[in-house]
Amino acid sequence: MKTQEELGVPVPANKPLIVRTIKYVTKEQREYALEKTEYSMFSFPADLIFVDFLSDSGSGTMTDFQWAALFHGDESYARNKGYYVLLEAVRDTFERGDDPKKAINLILTGETDVKRLMDELYITSYEGGFVNGGTHQLVRPNAFIVPQGRCAEHLLFSTIAPILKQKNKDITYYIPNNGHFDTTEANIVANGIKAINLFSENLLDDFPYNEMDRRNPFKGNIDVKGLENLIQDKGVESIPLIYITITNNTAAGQPVAMKNIKEVHKIAEKYDIPLFFDACRFSENANFIKEFEEGYKNRSILSIVKEMFSYVDGFTISFKKDGLANIGGGFFFKDRGVFHRKFSIDEDIGIKLKERQILTFGNDSYGGMSGRDIMALAAGLYEVIQEPYLNERKSQVREFARKLAQNGIPVILPAGGHAVYLNMDKFFEGSDMRLEDLGGVGFTIELLKNYGIRACELGPFAFEWDKKTPQQRKGILNLVRFAVPRNVYSASHIDYAVAAITELYHNKEKIPKVRISRGAELRLRHFQTGLQPIYND
Ligand code: F0G
């Protein structure tokens, strides 16, 4: 008889004990709301939606463990207890592998032994890793809590831009990535640096849907040859950082292989350039490595995460993704590592970052977060590395993609970690829809109007195709994304979405072209412009 693991379906990882009733809204009501909100996905009231795949960011369900932790939130202005718990959780998650200390339990179990609390939590001393502790964090700050990922990006790029100018004001700087997320790119560009996407060459290769459980080509990898060429071409001095995004959200949520991380680490080391992760979905990425990369099957997620992070010099992170938290972000860099050496010119770079953090977000021990949110986030870090949870999540996204593929929908395969992406070039193949007609946007409007399902175009509209040079346009894919929030939806939500998407695919001639009716020139425009679908009848 098969074991529970051999049944071919994941062992259930949790059960929902609170439910939220979804309102029954008619097509006509949504049509009216769409018209009044300029057909923008970002302006449509969430309460009127049946199934919301706009983002997996901050939209997940928290566990009872997190809610319990939230009650221990401490809103003290300086050095709230959650600060210490979170720093310990970050060390446990990214540095300690199979030997986590779980100091959070001291708080959750009501420890009253003051000496123990001081020795294990409040008056500790760490140096040499991503999170200095005690006086080392005061003298050489290297851990920065902020409300979300883009705040970490802003903090980092706005702090290093003047330093780069000071180093050499006459050259153009480039930051390569396997796929910059839109806010990362926008923060880089806003600081006068150029953002380069080096997608893996196999990204749009066909992949049979019935092999998703058997192999994975790690299409999220950075193009290593392209990276070497860029460094050679522009010169080492022009590349202040190399970034790897795990998983690669802009490239269809595809995972990055440990082999690729190691190769890039070697290049970074050779040229003495700091290598950073955009670590938003680190545990989902680690789970792909465990399942598909040779030599990792019997390793724990924590030990894989530890190895991944041993190759980088720092990371920005939005804890709203893998962290299972509703809010949170951070920036961490290795104590006295390459970044620290390269950017501490007149003054310690950590001190500069901390000043900016205090100016924009708040004291370093809360960084713009509430004490409650800090505790929920710290607890979340212990939840997201649990394998039953990760396996069930991965399987849900994979099933979503498999069902679409079985219905002939052009979905990018294999499925990524957090979302399913449709290839809109293929979707509209044979029709007169051109890239500039924003067919992907038209599709999302029809899906919301007819079926109450929200998705997000990540293509020529979101990435502002019309404002880019022919060279930059090569870095833009034409996708629509269905991001699956964590622990929110069941198979019935997915089945409803698959049926709706399939119906629309078979009626694609009814999908309107879309015109930008207001604010085409705005930056980050998919959040703020008005749209007008052009219906033929
Ligand atoms: N990096 C990646 C890879 C992301 O996916 C995101 C956000 C960010 C950075 C910025 O983090 O939202 O906390 O400021 N992605 C969300 C999404 C918004 O829907 O994919 P943030």
Side-chain angles (χ1 to χ4, degrees), residues 54-57 147-151 153 179-184 245-250 278 280-281 317-321 328-329 418 458 481 483 527:
L54 184 67
S55 180
D56 64 322
S57 182
Q148 54 181 99
R150 66 201 65 189
C151 308
E153 295 158 2
H180 286 284
F181 184 65
D182 58 7
T183 60
T184 324
T245 303
I246 50 172
T247 56
N248 193 342
N249 190 9
T250 300
D278 174 341
C280 287
R281 297 174 180 89
I317 187 163
S318 165
F319 289 119
K320 299 176 71 174
K321 283 75 180 180
H418 69 293
L458 288 176
R481 183 185 77 171
F527 298 110

Side-chain angles (χ1 to χ4, degrees), residues 187-255:
N187 271 302
I188 288 173
V189 172
N191 284 291
I193 305 169
K194 294 218 180 312
I196 306 279
N197 284 342
L198 297 169
F199 296 133
S200 176
E201 281 182 351
N202 64 352
L203 177 59
L204 295 179
D205 286 358
D206 288 338
F207 187 94
Y209 66 80
N210 54 5
E211 289 197 14
M212 282 196 283
D213 290 333
R214 262 176 262 152
R215 63 187 177 94
N216 191 294
F218 289 95
K219 291 175 167 188
N221 285 352
I222 197 165
D223 168 10
V224 174
K225 231 196 283 149
L227 178 64
E228 275 269 8
N229 290 345
L230 181 82
I231 300 171
Q232 298 281 346
D233 183 32
K234 307 292 182 195
V236 180
E237 202 196 349
S238 299
I239 318 286
L241 293 174
I242 300 169
Y243 246 94
I244 301 178
T245 303
I246 50 172
T247 56
N248 193 342
N249 190 9
T250 300
Q254 300 290 309

Side-chain angles (χ1 to χ4, degrees), residues 161-351:
I163 300 174
L164 290 173
K165 269 221 175 81
Q166 190 186 343
K167 281 185 171 189
N168 188 339
K169 65 176 173 21
D170 299 321
I171 59 171
T172 307
Y173 289 101
Y174 300 85
I175 298 184
N177 197 324
N178 54 335
H180 286 284
F181 184 65
D182 58 7
T183 60
T184 324
E185 178 171 331
N187 271 302
I188 288 173
V189 172
N191 284 291
I193 305 169
K194 294 218 180 312
I196 306 279
N197 284 342
L198 297 169
F199 296 133
S200 176
E201 281 182 351
N202 64 352
L203 177 59
L204 295 179
D205 286 358
D206 288 338
F207 187 94
Y209 66 80
N210 54 5
E211 289 197 14
M212 282 196 283
D213 290 333
R214 262 176 262 152
R215 63 187 177 94
N216 191 294
F218 289 95
K219 291 175 167 188
N221 285 352
I222 197 165
D223 168 10
V224 174
K225 231 196 283 149
L227 178 64
E228 275 269 8
N229 290 345
L230 181 82
I231 300 171
Q232 298 281 346
D233 183 32
K234 307 292 182 195
V236 180
E237 202 196 349
S238 299
I239 318 286
L241 293 174
I242 300 169
Y243 246 94
I244 301 178
T245 303
I246 50 172
T247 56
N248 193 342
N249 190 9
T250 300
Q254 300 290 309
V256 177
M258 190 76 88
K259 181 166 176 283
N260 191 247
I261 298 169
K262 276 194 220 172
E263 283 169 359
V264 179
H265 167 68
K266 274 212 182 101
I267 295 174
E269 205 171 41
K270 177 166 120 191
Y271 293 104
D272 199 31
I273 302 172
L275 172 60
F276 279 7
F277 277 145
D278 174 341
C280 287
R281 297 174 180 89
F282 69 94
S283 64
E284 286 164 13
N285 200 96
N287 199 30
F288 276 101
I289 291 174
K290 181 177 167 90
E291 186 178 7
F292 293 113
E293 210 168 335
E294 217 182 310
Y296 291 94
K297 278 245 161 350
N298 298 320
R299 294 265 300 271
S300 70
I301 295 296
L302 275 178
S303 86
I304 295 172
V305 171
K306 179 181 175 182
E307 183 182 341
M308 287 160 67
F309 282 75
S310 72
Y311 298 120
V312 296
D313 202 54
F315 56 100
T316 50
I317 187 163
S318 165
F319 289 119
K320 299 176 71 174
K321 283 75 180 180
D322 258 351
L324 259 177
N326 299 126
I327 199 77
F331 171 47
F332 305 86
F333 65 84
K334 233 170 220 162
D335 184 30
R336 288 176 289 203
V338 190
F339 174 76
H340 182 259
R341 167 163 51 79
K342 292 230 151 182
F343 287 92
S344 299
I345 297 187
D346 302 327
E347 195 183 18
D348 188 278
I349 180 68
I351 297 282

Side-chain angles (χ1 to χ4, degrees), residues 51-67:
V51 197
D52 196 351
F53 294 112
L54 184 67
S55 180
D56 64 322
S57 182
S59 49
T61 301
M62 290 209 296
T63 63
D64 49 4
F65 178 56
Q66 287 180 286
W67 281 105

